[in-house]
Amino acid sequence: MSDPARHERLVEELARSLAPIRPLAGPGWRAFAWISAVLGLGVLLLPLSDGAALSARLGVPDLRYAALGAMLTSVAAAFAAFQSSVPGRSRAWVLLPIPPLVLWLGVSGLGCLRAWLAPASNLAETGEMRGCFVFLIGVSLPLSVLLVTMLRRACPLNPGLTAALGGLAVAAAAAALLVPFHPHDATATDLAVHLVAVLIVVGLNGLFGGRVLGTPSPRPATTAVDTDP
């Protein structure tokens, strides 16, 4: 025969051993936190850039709008990634980065025409393009680790999609951070190098980030509760 008093003591001991759980912040706030980290990195790197050269490059319409497109793509993709990481959110959030992505890639492609329209443009050398590639990959690594770590806490139901969106956010952020250090005008070869770097970042995030996000988090499942209505 069971002892009610013993059961009550057991329940009390279990209740005392429970640690308080802090609800997970909403996807908008988490996206804002990651974007703030990107901006902080940009502020740290800015003193290393050539301000006069940056001002001159941003005076060219296609370079200016391509940089704007990269920044907007990063923000939209980050927001979409955090939204998709919360179970029950609409899959329509996946479409959010498409308009700025079209702007970024489209204007960058138009910028390649400058080598034909203006032969005196500052074209890229092999070493400079290699430096751009290394910069994009190098900056993407810490941003990817941070983003995947933040996304993992929400236990996304479609980890591959969420990780791919995160990879797009990271790649676009790295491209935007490259603008102050880009030593030449856009060319078809230069755009191809950037595109390869972006595809590598998105692909690796989708592959390895998806595996990480698909692994159950060691934290209690209740930490994935979203505070947004």
Side-chain angles (χ1 to χ4, degrees), residues 18-192:
L18 292 176
I21 302 299
R22 185 177 63 179
L24 189 62
W29 285 108
R30 283 179 283 139
F32 177 77
W34 183 81
I35 293 167
S36 297
V38 175
L39 292 176
L41 178 59
V43 171
L44 292 176
L45 293 175
L46 192 59
L48 304 177
S49 66
D50 186 344
L54 173 62
S55 178
R57 285 195 295 273
L58 293 182
V60 180
D62 61 88
L63 294 178
R64 181 171 64 249
Y65 288 115
L68 176 63
M71 289 187 290
L72 293 179
T73 299
S74 180
V75 171
F79 196 84
F82 281 104
Q83 288 287 348
S84 70
S85 71
V86 178
R89 291 299 169 101
S90 172
R91 293 177 65 88
W93 286 108
V94 177
L95 304 176
L96 185 64
I98 292 180
L101 178 62
V102 171
L103 172 65
W104 176 25
L105 297 181
V107 175
S108 297
L110 290 176
C112 297
L113 297 177
R114 191 183 303 107
W116 175 62
L117 296 175
S121 296
N122 181 22
L123 303 182
E125 297 180 357
T126 302
E128 293 175 337
M129 288 189 292
R130 186 184 302 113
C132 291
F133 182 84
V134 171
F135 182 95
L136 291 171
I137 299 298
V139 170
S140 296
L141 288 176
L143 294 181
S144 296
V145 172
L146 176 61
L147 187 58
V148 170
T149 301
M150 295 175 67
L151 288 170
R152 190 184 181 195
R153 295 190 60 202
C155 301
L157 297 180
N158 194 335
L161 176 62
T162 298
L165 287 169
L168 178 59
V170 168
L177 292 173
L178 174 64
V179 171
F181 304 95
H182 205 250
H184 49 264
D185 294 334
T187 65
T189 306
D190 182 54
L191 179 60

